[in-house]
Amino acid sequence: EDQVTQSPEALRLQEGESSSLNCSYTVSGLRGLFWYRQDPGKGPEFLFTLYSAGEEKEKERLKATLTKKESFLHITAPKPEDSATYLCAVQAQGGSEKLVFGKGTKLTVNP
Amino acid sequence: EAQVTQNPRYLITVTGKKLTVTCSQNMNHEYMSWYRQDPGLGLRQIYYSMNVEVTDKGDVPEGYKVSRKEKRNFPLILESPSPNQTSLYFCASRVTGVGSPLHFGNGTRLTVT
């Protein structure tokens, strides 16, 4: 069964304090790994898709990386507006269109 | 603007009173899906549709129905809501194929008393 585990569940940072969020996955062949940002009471907002080990993608203060077993979302010099829940999801091979989501990491950045 | 639109945003109802949550997308996506999100449980898939007239169960389909008569619309029907269906519901759509992301609506917060 495809599984996604995110850690930590919650992370509190000071403004400017860089850190990383982890997404570990077990899947029968990876078609894609997705990162989303979710603000309270709103729908998840797409950030990145990663396809193969070694791939990296960046957007402003966020950088996502991928290995064969996990992905990291690195946050460099975060600002309070980066506070949100970050979700990871995987799409497995075999023709399935389903995305399996982790439970997310709630990030709080204090000024 | 490309978007997934859900209505209503908030709904309070009583046990047993049938309700429908509408979902519409303007991106011509083949794939549409409904999720519920509960504290500590994350996003769980209720039903999905690969295209018009093609629907299938997700991980938590009990107590729900869906239909896909048109490509853009994918309503979620609760024939006899119960308090354990109190949750935050999201509709999402995507192009089928490798790596295309899901686009989510802004959610419907349902309370069943």
Side-chain angles (χ1 to χ4, degrees):
Chain A
E1 183 181 340
D2 303 329
Q3 286 192 330
V4 177
T5 303
Q6 292 188 245
S7 62
E9 290 186 13
L11 180 62
R12 193 175 289 271
L13 300 173
Q14 288 298 122
E15 185 171 2
E17 180 187 1
S18 301
S19 188
S20 297
L21 313 182
N22 178 263
C23 171
S24 297
Y25 63 91
T26 53
V27 66
S28 53
L30 182 69
R31 294 179 79 188
L33 184 141
F34 304 83
W35 281 100
Y36 286 83
R37 170 195 170 121
Q38 186 177 22
D39 293 303
K42 294 194 173 182
E45 176 186 341
F46 171 70
L47 293 172
F48 305 110
T49 308
L50 301 168
Y51 297 96
S52 57
E55 189 175 0
E56 300 182 350
K57 288 196 176 170
E58 288 188 67
K59 181 179 181 179
E60 295 180 356
R61 295 175 292 282
L62 300 177
K63 179 179 175 181
T65 62
L66 181 65
T67 72
K68 288 187 177 180
K69 293 183 178 180
E70 58 192 349
S71 177
F72 292 93
L73 185 65
H74 307 278
I75 304 176
T76 303
K79 298 181 177 182
E81 54 261 42
D82 294 322
S83 297
T85 296
Y86 290 86
L87 300 172
C88 173
V90 297
Q91 181 185 12
Q93 287 182 357
S96 172
E97 297 295 330
K98 180 180 178 180
L99 297 192
V100 177
F101 282 85
K103 293 180 181 179
T105 294
K106 183 177 181 179
L107 174 66
T108 304
V109 182
N110 294 315
Chain B
E1 180 189 351
Q3 59 185 2
V4 178
T5 303
Q6 294 179 231
N7 281 297
R9 289 295 311 278
Y10 302 92
L11 181 57
I12 300 174
T13 190
V14 296
T15 299
K17 186 176 181 181
K18 181 180 178 180
L19 66 91
T20 299
V21 183
T22 64
C23 173
S24 180
Q25 52 94 4
N26 62 1
M27 295 168 280
N28 202 36
H29 287 167
E30 299 91 358
Y31 181 90
M32 297 186 74
S33 183
W34 277 101
Y35 288 84
R36 62 178 289 174
Q37 187 174 40
D38 302 289
L41 297 177
L43 281 164
R44 295 181 292 168
Q45 190 180 51
I46 302 171
Y47 268 94
Y48 66 94
S49 170
M50 298 288 287
N51 214 322
V52 175
E53 301 292 359
V54 181
T55 63
D56 209 344
K57 297 177 181 179
D59 298 317
V60 288
E62 295 78 19
Y64 304 95
K65 286 176 58 176
V66 293
S67 68
R68 187 93 181 271
K69 292 183 171 56
E70 305 166 287
K71 196 171 187 178
R72 63 183 294 129
N73 296 323
F74 191 44
L76 179 69
I77 303 156
L78 285 71
E79 295 264 359
S80 182
S82 62
N84 64 11
Q85 293 178 297
T86 292
S87 187
L88 181 58
Y89 291 86
F90 290 103
C91 181
S93 71
R94 62 193 289 258
V95 175
T96 53
V98 175
S100 63
L102 271 172
H103 298 262
F104 284 85
N106 269 331
T108 295
R109 186 168 292 280
L110 172 65
T111 302
V112 184
T113 60

